[in-house]
Amino acid sequence: MNESHLTFCSSPEWARYVANELLPWVLASYELGDDVLEIGPGPGLTTDVLRHAVRRLTAVEIDGTLATHLARRLVGTNVTVVHGDGTRLPFESARFSAATLFTMLHHVPSAGQQDRLLAEVCRVLQPNGLIVGTDGLDTPERRAVHIEDTFVPVDPAALPGRLAAAGFTDALVEQAGDRIRFAARAPRSC
């Protein structure tokens, strides 16, 4: 994440948007269960909201500095922060009741790596476990924010097929303005 993008994603304005609009829209009426995985929390503003809605939260962050800061900030809470790569999750299969991907898929450097990440999430979800997330569409404004930063936007029309190829069922992708939200289920049995 470039410095200006990180500054915005750490701002009080983004925190308010996440808490009051984004997460309520994305989570809607979904029940996440007791043991939830968050991939790519960045500075952790989504984590701050999510941790109050679940019993146990594991946040996996690929950036070592961000992971260290988040772990220090959330010590003593119901959150475990892991410095790791979402394409190679260090967890046993069928561990988590749900997984969240909040505005992070576009930071994964290629569609192939995004697909590997989705497959890994499917692997670590319990049977019928939920994946739910959001991302921004490809707009000139978003491209400007991502100068000298990774930006691989997700095509909403292709996402249901990509989720199915990763092993998920019942994929739902919806668009509102310049954002999408998505949800799908891990298979009931392997």
Side-chain angles (χ1 to χ4, degrees):
M1 212 182 280
N2 69 39
E3 199 58 41
S4 65
H5 191 181
L6 181 57
T7 299
F8 175 73
C9 289
S10 302
S11 71
E13 296 80 19
W14 181 247
R16 280 191 298 278
Y17 176 70
V18 163
N20 299 328
E21 295 180 46
L22 186 63
L23 266 59
W25 176 63
V26 174
L27 296 175
S29 60
Y30 293 113
E31 182 60 42
L32 298 177
D34 288 341
D35 195 4
V36 177
L37 173 65
E38 180 183 25
I39 304 286
L45 297 185
T46 52
T47 311
D48 290 335
V49 175
L50 193 57
R51 73 184 182 94
H52 295 291
V54 301
R55 199 174 109 228
R56 185 173 45 243
L57 179 62
T58 301
V60 175
E61 174 55 51
I62 196 166
D63 183 291
T65 301
L66 290 175
T68 298
H69 288 292
L70 188 60
R72 283 183 188 146
R73 186 165 66 79
L74 295 176
V75 95
T77 69
N78 63 333
V79 179
T80 300
V81 178
V82 175
H83 175 218
D85 183 343
T87 66
R88 294 184 308 273
L89 293 169
F91 309 113
E92 68 274 8
S93 297
R95 171 176 165 187
F96 296 99
S97 56
T100 65
L101 288 77
F102 297 128
T103 314
M104 58 73 57
L105 266 178
H106 68 270
H107 285 287
V108 179
S110 71
Q113 287 178 297
Q114 291 171 354
D115 291 343
R116 281 191 291 283
L117 184 144
L118 293 172
E120 264 296 274
V121 169
C122 190
R123 180 187 68 77
V124 300
L125 283 176
Q126 298 166 2
N128 205 38
L130 176 71
I131 183 174
V132 63
T134 184
D135 220 308
L137 297 177
D138 189 357
T139 65
E141 296 80 15
R142 250 191 212 96
R143 284 206 174 268
V145 170
H146 289 86
I147 292 173
E148 297 182 20
D149 196 354
T150 302
F151 184 59
V152 181
V154 176
D155 175 6
L159 191 52
R162 292 175 70 189
L163 286 162
F168 290 100
T169 64
D170 304 321
L172 173 67
V173 178
E174 297 176 311
Q175 181 177 334
D178 68 347
R179 299 197 72 72
I180 60 167
R181 67 178 173 182
F182 58 90
R185 294 279 178 185
R188 293 188 192 285
S189 64
C190 295

